[in-house]
Amino acid sequence: MIEINKTAIGIAAGLAGTLFIGYCIYFDKKRRNEPDYKKKVRERRRRNRKTGSAKQGMPNLNDHEAIERYFLQEIQLGENLIARGDFETGVEHLANAIVVCGQPARLLQVLQSSLPAQVFAMLIIKMQEFGNRAAESGEGLTGSGSRSSQIENSANILESSGPAVIDDLE
């Protein structure tokens, strides 16, 4: 049998890695030297700026379908993370969904009945933080004053009905 020693394997792996990196550098340089490259990059950035997809987080608030996709995505992410035990990140995603929701009070009622008490208390605290940040900045949470006031009112209503939930944490 042919016996391959460790140094030969190491040299072959190093050579393969070097060739791969060289291949990547060559084609990246070729791509960047295309006459249309800068033009295409500018157009893509301009398009992203117009649609609002360049920034992470909130969708374009004028696009109802984008808001709906974002809402469903955040609800699903939040539920999955909470199911895995990552409560803080899950609550953050649920709070993002509430921010863009058209009827936050109703959504909070549904979440109150479906989430464990401690997780729901964390959600209320997160919503209060959002409300405080919006009040400090003098703007709505999403740039819409009516949505901000809806969320603040919903959090206040549930806060007044939920001190027992918050007491469970202590």
Side-chain angles (χ1 to χ4, degrees), residues 110-132:
V110 170
L111 290 173
Q112 185 176 18
S113 64
S114 63
L115 292 174
Q118 286 117 347
V119 175
F120 184 74
M122 290 170 62
L123 180 61
I124 293 298
I125 292 168
K126 178 64 79 175
M127 294 307 301
Q128 289 172 343
E129 289 173 10
F130 280 0
N132 290 343

Side-chain angles (χ1 to χ4, degrees), residues 56-98:
Q56 296 292 328
M58 296 296 177
N60 181 356
L61 297 175
N62 296 326
D63 184 4
H64 182 70
E65 290 179 10
I67 291 172
E68 190 174 324
R69 276 193 307 270
Y70 178 78
F71 172 78
L72 293 173
Q73 171 190 336
E74 290 297 301
I75 289 287
Q76 188 174 29
L77 274 170
E79 288 176 347
N80 289 341
L81 289 167
I82 288 171
R84 280 193 260 148
D86 187 0
F87 299 120
E88 289 182 25
T89 311
V91 163
E92 199 167 308
H93 285 286
L94 290 176
N96 289 339
I98 292 169

Side-chain angles (χ1 to χ4, degrees), residues 108 111-113 115-125 157-170:
L108 282 169
L111 290 173
Q112 185 176 18
S113 64
L115 292 174
Q118 286 117 347
V119 175
F120 184 74
M122 290 170 62
L123 180 61
I124 293 298
I125 292 168
I157 290 168
L158 287 168
E159 177 185 301
S160 64
S161 68
V165 173
I166 295 175
D167 288 342
D168 287 345
L169 287 173
E170 299 173 342

Side-chain angles (χ1 to χ4, degrees), residues 1 7 11 40 45 91 94 108 124 137 146 148 160:
M1 279 196 165
T7 56
I11 291 172
K40 287 179 183 177
R45 288 180 184 163
V91 163
L94 290 176
L108 282 169
I124 293 298
S137 69
S146 64
S148 172
S160 64

